Each structure stands twice: as C-alpha cells, then as structure tokens.
Amino acid sequence: MTSDQLETLAQTLTATGDYRIIRRLKPRPRTIPPPGTPVRLGLLVDVETTGLDPQRDEIIELAMTPFTYGLDGTVFSVEEGFQGLRQPSEPISPEITAITGITNEMVAGQVIDPAEVARFAAPASLVIAHNSAFDRCFLERFSDVFSTKPWACSLSQIDWAAEGFEGAKLAYLAQAAGFFYDRHRAAHDCLATIELLAMRLPRSDVTSLSQLLDGARTVTMRIWAENSPFDLKDILKAGGYRWNGDPGPRPRAWYIDVPEAQHEAEVQFLRTEIYRRTVDPLVHKIDAYNRFSNRP
C-alpha cells in the first residue's frame, strides 16, 4: 500500500472510535518565528551511563540536541545534534547493556572530547533533560560548561498528572501523545522529549515548554532543619519536609523548598514548633543555575 493509502486507512480506523493510531516520531518541520519575536536556543541533553552514582559511574553515551524556542514556549526548529559513545574505565555490565542496548564492542576505543562538548553546549540559553537531577550531576562532572548554564527538567517541572497523564516516564508520555520512537538511545530520547515540549497540554492548553519555562524561572528557598529533634520528625514530614541522606556536601537533615515569599514564615515555624528557640537555619537560594545540581 502507498503512504497515502495507509494514511487514509489510519484516519478511517481512528474515526470509528475503536482504534487508536500510534505513529513513528518524524522530524519536526521548521517554523519561522514572526518578525521581531525573541528567540532562544535550548539544548536537550541525555546520557546513558554505567550506573546511577555520578561520583563513581561513567557516561557511555551523550546526546545533545539544540532547538530554538520563543519566550512563550513555542518550539520553532530542531537543529543538528551531537551524539557520541565513550568507552568507560570498566566493562559495561550485562544489566546496563540490557537497559541501554550499548555493548562493550560498541564503545571500544570511543572517546567523547570534553572540549568539543563544551564548544557545542556554549551557545545554549537553557539546558533541559528528562530527569535533570540525574543528567546534570553526570554532565557537571564531565564538563564545567554545564555548571554555568541554567537547567530545567521536563520530568519534574511539568505537572503531567494534573494534565491527565498517569505516568511521567518518557516512553509512556510519548505513547500517550500518539507517537513511538526507538527507546533508550540518547539521541532518540532527546528528539522525543522535544516533541513532548512542543505539544499543547490537554487541560491547560499551553505548550509543555511554556509550563517548564515557568518552573525554571521560579526562585525558591531551601531551608534545612539541621539537628532537629528526632521525636519531631513526623511533624516535619507532615509539613512537607524531606530527608537528605545522600553522601556529599549537603547536610544530612530534613529540608523543604518554599517560595521566596514564604521564607520568613517557614523559619518562624522551625523556631516555634521544632527548635522552640531562636535559630537561624541554613538557607539556600534555588534557581535554574543551581537547581538539580549536587555542587556545594
């Protein structure tokens, strides 16, 4: 059958209401911004690694896909990307190969040049990943350029549940949006994420990128309840505090992220309900330049 015949068949099946068509992801057409429209360059990044620990495990694949967008969250064009494989210092485990499809034979002798990566990423106004808390930590260790950029996260800074999605994994979101792609290869994941950012959300009727940009622009204050009494941990937990038990430069303590306007009220809550004396808790300002990073 010709492509036109297949398309007619797909539309016929969809029109019955008994079938749903999932299409292969195709390259996005380039859109010319209206004259005078401010345009920025985004950089969608994705890494495949030998494990989950950014201090010990290594990048084995890196993809970076630039795209242009407007300040309102409109995606205009997807540019030529960067993709590279890298041989780690230790062999890739069978478990990682099963997840990523990347074998030791594929990466043998392969190198990703940090200087080349820095040059490619330098023009970006914003770096985005679908789980920036993971990708940013690996990439900051690999190249300092990623420590200088503002970051946003398409996993956590878009309220997929409020839009009617039952999950936020990339493959699930793609299927719910009506397309499929070759999964678990970094370049394909980048293109799929950009496609999701470009679509209009079903309930709020704004693009996913627009909602993500709003989240990226938000400034919050992280307040640490260091050395808080153990028997009051349930009060902290009920108040939205989370426990940080990870090794690293941050305190092993309960913490909460609040809007700037709620900062003083939250400090007062700690003084009256937790410490019951005047204290000045450790407070960090969180914005797109340090959010998702594990730097001190």
Side-chain angles (χ1 to χ4, degrees):
M1 297 180 71
T2 67
S3 58
D4 288 343
Q5 290 172 324
L6 289 171
E7 180 60 31
T8 299
L9 178 59
Q11 292 178 7
T12 301
L13 289 170
T14 301
T16 67
D18 294 326
Y19 299 90
R20 186 169 179 226
I21 304 300
I22 306 297
R23 302 173 184 271
R24 178 178 292 278
L25 178 62
K26 295 181 178 180
R28 287 191 61 80
R30 181 180 293 269
T31 302
I32 304 300
T37 301
V39 174
R40 300 289 186 269
L41 185 69
L43 187 68
L44 211 300
V45 299
D46 186 69
V47 296
E48 302 294 346
T49 66
T50 58
L52 302 177
D53 186 347
Q55 301 304 316
R56 182 188 64 198
D57 295 310
E58 301 176 64
I59 293 173
I60 54 176
E61 184 178 30
L62 166 63
M64 301 182 287
T65 304
F67 67 98
T68 61
Y69 66 93
L71 301 182
D72 65 346
T74 302
V75 174
F76 292 118
S77 65
V78 179
E79 309 298 333
E80 189 70 25
F82 171 100
Q83 182 179 14
L85 293 168
R86 177 180 177 274
Q87 182 176 1
S89 58
E90 299 289 338
I92 300 171
S93 70
E95 293 78 12
I96 295 299
T97 294
I99 294 171
T100 65
I102 300 173
T103 66
N104 287 295
E105 292 72 23
M106 292 169 61
V107 300
Q110 298 292 316
V111 176
I112 300 175
D113 182 3
E116 183 182 359
V117 169
R119 287 191 297 270
F120 194 92
S125 300
L126 180 68
V127 180
I128 303 170
H130 197 73
N131 192 3
S132 291
F134 178 82
D135 293 73
R136 181 167 193 172
C137 294
F138 276 93
L139 286 170
E140 285 187 338
R141 179 184 166 198
F142 187 78
S143 172
D144 288 341
V145 69
F146 294 104
S147 301
T148 69
K149 298 292 182 181
W151 279 68
C153 179
S154 56
L155 175 68
S156 64
Q157 291 184 304
I158 298 169
D159 195 342
W160 297 108
E163 297 294 336
F165 296 91
E166 295 180 359
K169 287 187 176 181
L170 191 57
Y172 170 80
L173 292 172
Q175 185 176 29
F179 69 88
F180 68 95
Y181 65 100
D182 297 325
R183 296 171 53 192
H184 294 307
R185 290 306 303 271
H188 299 152
D189 286 352
C190 286
L191 293 173
T193 305
I194 293 173
E195 188 68 20
L196 291 170
L197 292 175
M199 77 176 187
R200 300 195 77 84
L201 293 168
R203 293 180 178 173
S204 58
D205 196 33
V206 299
T207 66
S208 304
L209 179 58
S210 174
Q211 191 175 116
L212 177 141
L213 291 175
D214 286 344
R217 293 165 183 147
T218 300
V219 175
T220 57
M221 308 300 286
R222 177 163 295 178
I223 303 173
W224 296 89
E226 292 184 275
N227 302 314
S228 56
F230 178 79
D231 58 344
L232 298 181
K233 63 180 178 61
D234 289 338
I235 296 178
L236 289 169
K237 191 183 300 185
Y241 282 75
R242 292 175 287 175
W243 173 256
N244 175 54
D246 296 334
R250 291 182 174 78
R252 290 175 62 86
W254 293 94
Y255 71 94
I256 191 171
D257 293 338
V258 299
E260 282 186 290
Q262 296 180 21
H263 165 224
E264 291 298 335
E266 195 64 37
V267 169
Q268 189 60 33
F269 161 78
L270 289 178
R271 289 170 176 168
T272 57
E273 302 296 330
I274 303 300
Y275 297 107
R276 296 169 187 171
R277 57 187 173 87
T278 299
V279 295
D280 292 314
L282 179 65
V283 178
H284 291 143
K285 182 178 180 180
I286 306 294
D287 60 19
Y289 284 91
N290 61 12
R291 190 176 288 123
F292 310 118
S293 174
N294 65 358
R295 289 178 291 128

